[in-house]
Amino acid sequence: MVSLLTQIQTHGDRPALRLGPHTWSYGDLAAAAAAIGAALRVYPCQNIGLMAPPGFGYGAGLLGIWAAAKMAVPLALSYPLPELEYALNHGEVGCIVGDRTLATDEYERLQAIAQEQSIPIVWVGDCRPLEAPPTLESSSPEQPALMLFTSGTTGKPKGVVHTHGSLRAQILSLTEAWGWTGGDRILHVLPLHHIHGIVNILLCALWSGAVCEFLPRFVPSQVWERLADATLFMAVPTVYVKLIAAYQQGDAATQARDRAAAQSLRLMVSGSAALPVSVLEQWQAITGHRLLERYGMTEIGMALSQPLGGDRISGSVGQPLPHVSVRLVEDTGIPGNEGEIQVQSPTLFSEYWRNPAATAAAFTTDGWFRTGDRARDEHGQFHILGRISQDILKTGGYKVSALEIEEVLRTHPAIAECAIVGVPHATWGEKICAAVVLHPQQNLTLLELRRWAKDLLAPYKIPMELKLLEHLPRNALGKVVKPQLRSLFLSPSG
Ligand code: AMP
C-alpha cells in the first residue's frame, strides 16, 4: 500500500507549500521530515504533540512524526493552558514538535506547558538535514497516525484515533470525488487541528502533488486577493459569510477585482456545518460559483457530497462518497428514508483513545457507526435534518459540547447553576448562549464572564450571550428544559 510518505517523494522538486513570499518543494518537505523523524526516534514515547502555525513547520512536523512511525497529536494554537494540559495528558503526549515561528503568546504557552509537564520539545528549525536522507518508509495501515479531539455529549473531549489506513482511504475517496490533480492550487485558511483543514485540504493536496498555500491568519481581504491564484477553496459556512460581508464593504473597483479573483477556481466547497441556502445564493451571485456542500465528521472523515459534475440541489449534501456506505435508521432500528445517519467505511476511526466503552457505544451491534445526526433521503439525495443531541453545538464550523462549557462555568465563584444552549446565528451558524443562576448577592456581566473564561476555554467555546435567571426551567425529573431556554434567547423581549 502506497503511503503518503512514499507518495510525496514521487513529486520531486515541484512546489508543495506556500506562505507569503516563501515556497517549499516536495523535496524540501521530505528532507525535513526525515530529519525530524530521526530526531524523534530517540524518544521512546509513541504520541507526539504538534504545535506549529500554518506553514512549512506544520507540514514537515506532521510528516516527520510519521517518518518516526509515531502518532501525531495536533494542538490547537488557540487552546488556553487548561485545554492544552488536557490534550497533552489525555493524549499521553511524551514529546512535542514545535515551531519557533509561533506567535509570541502561542510560543510562551507552549514553553510554559512543556516545562510544567516536563515534556521535551523538538524544534523544527533545529533538526539539521541528514547527509543522505533515507527513503521515508511506509507505515502499516493499522498503525495509529493521528489523534484529533472532538467534543461529545459527555464531559471532556474525546481523542479520535485515525490510522494510516483510514487517512489514506479518506484521501483516496476525496481526491477521486473532487478530481484533484497535481495542477491544483488550494488556499488554506482553516485551523490545523481539525479534520477539515488537515485531511480534506493539506493531505489531499500533498497526495496529489498540488500546491497548498497557507494564510497565516484569516483576513477576508487577503483571502479575496489570494483566491486569484487558486484552483480550489474549501471552508466552513462562517468563512463564506465573512467573505461576503467583506466583499459588500468594498468599492466598485475592489468588488470587480474580487469577482475576477474567483474566476481562476474550478471548485469551491463548504462543509462542517449547515450551509444556509441564502449564503449559497449570495456566493453564487458574487462569484458565479455554486458551492459544493459535503457532510462529514471527525470520526468518519467525509461521508456525503454533492457531485463535482451534475446538479447540486440546494439544501442537500448529495450522496455517499466513493467507498463509503451510508444508511438512515429510524428510531425503531429499521433502515428507511429518514433517521440517524449511520456509516460503514474504510475511512472510519479506529477508536476513542483510552475509551473502549465510548468506542463500543458509538457502533450499532451490526457494526455501523452512529453519527448522532439525522437526515432524509429524497430521491437519492441526502438532506441533513439536525443533530439528535441538543448538547452538541456547531459554531463557526467547530463542534462544541454544551456540557463541557457548563462544567467550566460552574467553577466560577459567582455561578450557582448554568445551562448552555445554541441559538441560530447568521455568521456563526449557532451562537453559544449561557443561562446562569447566581449565588445570592453576586453579579456578573457578559464581559466579566468572557474575560474570566478566556483563560479556561478556547475562544470559540466562550458564551456570546448571557442571561441571569432566578432559576433554570426544569422538568419533573429535574432536567433542564433546553428548548424552553433557547426560546428565551430567541424572544426579542427575553
Ligand atoms: P466535526 O467532527 O467537528 O467535523 O463535526 C461533525 C458534525 O458537523 C456532524 O456530526 C454534523 O453535525 C456537522 N456537519 C458537518 N457537515 C455538515 C453539513 N454539510 N451540514 C450540516 N451539518 C454538518
Side-chain angles (χ1 to χ4, degrees), residues 66-148:
W66 291 341
K70 296 182 188 282
M71 170 153 71
V73 186
L75 303 167
L77 302 176
S78 62
Y79 279 171
L81 282 174
E83 292 211 53
L84 270 182
E85 189 180 336
Y86 172 78
L88 295 175
N89 287 338
H90 182 67
E92 293 173 34
V93 168
C95 177
I96 300 172
V97 172
D99 185 340
R100 288 206 174 83
T101 64
L102 283 164
T104 312
D105 64 312
E106 296 159 357
Y107 182 77
E108 284 173 357
R109 251 181 294 133
L110 172 58
Q111 291 270 34
I113 196 82
Q115 205 164 22
E116 187 194 299
Q117 309 272 312
S118 305
I119 300 178
I121 302 176
V122 168
W123 296 104
V124 171
D126 293 354
C127 297
R128 293 283 130 242
L130 308 179
E131 296 231 326
T135 307
L136 298 173
E137 280 172 32
S138 301
S139 297
S140 74
E142 301 78 33
Q143 194 171 328
L146 190 65
M147 189 192 303
L148 300 174

Side-chain angles (χ1 to χ4, degrees), residues 149-151 194-196 270-275 293-299 302 317 371-373 384 386-387 392 394 397-400:
F149 289 95
T150 194
S151 295
H194 187 269
I195 194 133
H196 196 165
S270 173
S272 291
L275 175 68
E293 190 170 0
R294 60 76 185 156
Y295 161 89
M297 191 176 181
T298 306
E299 289 90 332
M302 300 304 114
V317 288
T371 62
D373 292 308
I384 307 289
R387 285 175 300 276
I392 296 292
K394 266 273 158 162
Y398 288 109
K399 188 177 177 189
V400 167

Side-chain angles (χ1 to χ4, degrees), residues 269-287:
V269 178
S270 173
S272 291
L275 175 68
V277 173
S278 59
V279 177
L280 172 97
E281 286 172 352
Q282 273 178 300
W283 190 257
Q284 189 166 10
I286 295 170
T287 64

Side-chain angles (χ1 to χ4, degrees), residues 83-278:
E83 292 211 53
L84 270 182
E85 189 180 336
Y86 172 78
L88 295 175
N89 287 338
H90 182 67
E92 293 173 34
V93 168
C95 177
I96 300 172
V97 172
D99 185 340
R100 288 206 174 83
T101 64
L102 283 164
T104 312
D105 64 312
E106 296 159 357
Y107 182 77
E108 284 173 357
R109 251 181 294 133
L110 172 58
Q111 291 270 34
I113 196 82
Q115 205 164 22
E116 187 194 299
Q117 309 272 312
S118 305
I119 300 178
I121 302 176
V122 168
W123 296 104
V124 171
D126 293 354
C127 297
R128 293 283 130 242
L130 308 179
E131 296 231 326
T135 307
L136 298 173
E137 280 172 32
S138 301
S139 297
S140 74
E142 301 78 33
Q143 194 171 328
L146 190 65
M147 189 192 303
L148 300 174
F149 289 95
T150 194
S151 295
T153 48
T154 48
K156 291 281 194 192
K158 296 188 284 256
V160 175
V161 177
H162 276 287
T163 61
H164 284 280
S166 65
L167 291 182
R168 183 176 178 275
Q170 291 178 43
I171 294 168
L172 291 181
S173 173
L174 291 182
T175 49
E176 178 185 332
W178 297 342
W180 278 85
T181 72
D184 277 315
R185 297 179 304 279
I186 191 158
L187 186 62
H188 196 317
V189 300
L190 294 183
L192 284 162
H193 64 283
H194 187 269
I195 194 133
H196 196 165
I198 299 173
V199 179
N200 299 18
I201 302 182
L202 179 60
L203 299 188
C204 283
L206 296 181
W207 179 271
S208 307
V211 179
C212 179
E213 174 171 349
F214 294 105
L215 280 186
R217 280 184 312 117
F218 175 72
V219 180
S221 59
Q222 287 176 12
V223 177
W224 277 114
E225 243 168 68
R226 295 308 305 148
L227 277 179
D229 205 25
T231 62
L232 283 170
F233 188 67
M234 298 179 193
V236 297
T238 300
V239 163
Y240 288 107
V241 172
K242 290 187 174 184
L243 289 175
I244 291 169
Y247 171 87
Q248 286 167 340
Q249 277 163 16
D251 57 23
T254 314
Q255 291 192 345
R257 195 204 59 195
D258 291 349
R259 275 200 309 276
Q263 302 312 308
S264 64
L265 288 128
R266 69 170 181 86
L267 175 66
M268 305 186 99
V269 178
S270 173
S272 291
L275 175 68
V277 173
S278 59

